[in-house]
Amino acid sequence: MAREYETVIGLEVHVELATKTKIFCGCSTKFGGEVNTHTCPVCTGMPGSLPVLNKQVVECAIAVGLATNCEITRYGKFDRKNYFYPDNPQNYQISQLYLPICRNGYVEIETENGSKKVGIHEIHMEEDAGKLIHDEWGQVSLVDYNRSGVPLIEIVSEPDMRSAEEVIAYLEKLRMFIQYLGASDCKLQEGSMRADVNLSVRPVGSTEFGTRTEMKNLNSFTSITHAIESERERQIDIIEAGGSVVQETRRFDDSKGESYAMRSKEDAQDYRYFPDPDLVPLKVSEEWIEKIRSAQPEFRDAKVKRYKEEYAIPEYDIGIITASKRMADIFEEASAICGQPKKVSNWLMVETLRLLKEKSMDPEDIVYSPAHLAKLIELVDKKVINSSVAKEVFEQMFADDTDPEEYVNSHGLKQETDSGAIEAICRQVIEENPKSVEDFRAGKDKAIGFLVGQTMKAAKGKADPGTVNEILRKLLGG
Ligand code: ADP
Ligand code: ZN
Ligand code: MG
């Protein structure tokens, strides 16, 4: 009989912080500039240059640590991790091995068996490497140091996760905290959040961990899920065949659905870590921690609770809206301006979600302002435009934050409010559609729908369907 196996997973998550400048120099962290223009002697490893720690990086790391229930290290250091690679101009990376800024935290996730704590072993700060560009010039590789020195935090979990679902729930929770803090946009596709998955299997009931492998650079939730499933099967097959799993780093190829060995696992001593002599020790005062704590935003759980008390909108909507800081901000501001949370929520839940999906966009990247959404709602309320025109205006607003009022004016989309003019169109439609008129008079109430449609069409959509309906009925003596 085949044995049952349990999957054991721990994650190392790198997050690029959204500070304006790099961790040890004043260069811009902006993504996508002309190659090697966001550089200086420090981030290109020139001899004699000295690093100066960016205070904001420490504040971001502490803020994430507080959100994830970590202890904050009061006396910390930076260490050099020594290795040669052309994207690493100093031949060492400045990181934290011995005294990471945060330790012993946890994140609570929802699983099918209720909520569960995933331990956080530590969070440390480090610098990112440059980027190698292959295949552009034939026989040579190029290097771009714009990313060199961009601040990272690495969040190392305990091996507490047992399935791909738990891993995704954990990553979503982390991402939400970090986005709410504004510490990073956490985009897996663009590399501002990168997850390395450590995985082992063991017979159910066993208390010892099996040998693990590490899979690097998985850039979507789907590829993380596929990698976990395929690696679990691979390890079980090896064990069932009487072999043993080799501790190594593997690369997962999502197009083939397989992983292959990249290198044997290196140990801390391979890197000859030692404290960086160019940086002074980092002292974190109680007051500083308290200042950061008091500036923490209202996180999702607290928001959900408050929304339930303050707004009469469905719980389902609350869940979706608060899952994105950007959506929650739009919801709160637009509701405050127009005083109609239900309508704001509808625009978010229906048209916004539809367009996000259609354009494969992240909710954090919504560009329209809450004030413009509030204005659009008012335009509909005041019957300046009807709801189908509002959808057209909304699409434009969604694309480039167009002012809805200006758009309505410049495109002549105002509703026909002159009831005399509408009545004239109704009479015309009645005249042209004797069959429907007959049907209606014969008791087929549905026929009115067709006539309303024809009138709306004749009015180029710029009439209020309710008013049209009323006038038609009056004219038909209904
Ligand atoms: P190293 O120092 O060699 O990188 P760590 O102890 O720092 O190893 O662990 C790295 C990551 O691997 C952590 O996220 C941890 O939870 C995870 N991990 C450690 N042992 C196992 C295991 N047996 N199975 C799955 N994950 C593991
Ligand atoms: Zn620099
Ligand atoms: Mg490690």
Side-chain angles (χ1 to χ4, degrees), residues 162-459:
R162 297 289 175 268
S163 66
E165 292 76 50
E166 291 187 11
V167 167
I168 304 303
Y170 168 76
L171 285 171
E172 281 180 336
K173 201 75 191 260
L174 272 188
R175 184 170 67 174
M176 202 147 54
F177 279 133
I178 297 169
Q179 286 178 342
Y180 262 88
L181 285 164
S184 173
D185 59 12
C186 290
K187 289 188 179 159
L188 276 91
Q189 281 81 353
E190 289 177 16
S192 56
M193 185 182 208
R194 310 188 275 253
D196 301 340
V197 175
N198 295 271
L199 184 149
S200 61
V201 297
R202 62 179 176 188
V204 166
S206 160
T207 50
E208 260 160 56
F209 288 139
T211 303
R212 72 176 198 267
T213 59
E214 178 177 0
M215 285 177 291
K216 282 209 170 290
N217 297 328
L218 302 162
N219 62 6
S220 70
F221 285 166
T222 328
S223 90
I224 289 171
T225 304
H226 291 161
I228 288 172
E229 279 154 12
S230 109
E231 182 59 9
R232 170 188 152 87
E233 292 310 313
R234 195 188 67 88
Q235 292 188 10
I236 292 174
D237 288 347
I238 291 172
I239 296 167
E240 288 284 304
S244 46
V245 173
V246 178
Q247 187 172 340
E248 63 192 359
T249 303
R250 302 181 66 84
R251 182 177 284 276
F252 180 71
D253 183 340
D254 208 0
S255 62
K256 296 200 182 80
E258 306 172 344
S259 64
Y260 50 91
M262 228 165 89
R263 56 170 190 247
S264 66
K265 172 80 179 145
E266 64 287 345
D267 269 327
Q269 60 257 36
D270 296 330
Y271 290 113
R272 297 294 186 273
Y273 277 96
F274 65 88
D276 191 306
D278 288 342
L279 286 157
V280 290
L282 174 63
K283 282 192 195 158
V284 178
S285 69
E286 206 62 50
E287 296 79 67
W288 196 17
I289 296 175
E290 280 322 305
K291 209 173 134 201
I292 297 167
R293 194 193 304 277
S294 61
Q296 297 280 81
E298 176 186 43
F299 286 114
R300 189 192 187 192
D301 291 350
K303 254 192 211 309
V304 167
K305 197 159 164 270
R306 183 168 63 82
Y307 280 21
K308 282 183 191 165
E309 287 160 10
E310 287 181 16
Y311 303 106
I313 61 170
E315 240 180 272
Y316 179 77
D317 298 16
I318 293 178
I320 303 276
I321 290 169
T322 56
S324 148
K325 169 82 159 63
R326 177 81 183 128
M327 295 238 280
D329 285 346
I330 292 173
F331 173 75
E332 290 179 32
E333 278 181 51
S335 300
I337 299 170
C338 71
Q340 308 212 61
K342 182 75 190 107
K343 286 183 181 161
V344 175
S345 159
N346 278 347
W347 280 107
L348 289 167
M349 295 299 296
V350 185
E351 286 305 295
T352 303
L353 290 185
R354 180 180 72 78
L355 289 168
L356 286 173
K357 190 163 173 221
E358 193 181 296
K359 298 179 195 306
S360 310
M361 272 171 64
D362 191 300
E364 297 310 302
D365 295 331
I366 296 173
V367 297
Y368 70 76
S369 64
H372 283 165
L373 178 57
K375 211 183 225 181
L376 181 67
I377 290 170
E378 262 166 43
L379 291 173
V380 180
D381 279 351
K382 292 188 179 148
K383 298 205 158 125
V384 177
I385 54 176
N386 63 34
S387 59
S388 63
V389 169
K391 276 186 197 159
E392 177 194 331
V393 178
F394 181 78
E395 268 197 52
Q396 193 57 45
M397 208 178 91
F398 185 91
D400 59 9
D401 195 27
T402 296
D403 182 322
E405 198 166 20
E406 276 170 25
Y407 187 85
V408 165
N409 289 338
S410 63
H411 287 73
L413 294 172
K414 266 196 186 152
Q415 209 156 246
E416 186 57 75
T417 44
D418 172 1
S419 58
I422 299 174
E423 193 171 317
I425 300 172
C426 289
R427 284 184 193 282
Q428 174 102 22
V429 167
I430 287 171
E431 202 164 297
E432 287 166 0
N433 296 280
K435 180 81 181 64
S436 302
V437 171
E438 203 177 297
D439 287 349
F440 177 73
R441 290 204 167 119
K444 276 197 194 160
D445 202 58
K446 266 190 193 154
I448 195 86
F450 176 78
L451 294 170
V452 170
Q454 291 303 105
T455 312
M456 290 298 292
K457 207 165 142 194

Side-chain angles (χ1 to χ4, degrees), residues 8 10-12 156-159 198 200 209-210 212 265:
V8 172
L11 294 189
E12 291 162 291
V156 183
S157 85
E158 299 293 351
N198 295 271
S200 61
F209 288 139
R212 72 176 198 267
K265 172 80 179 145

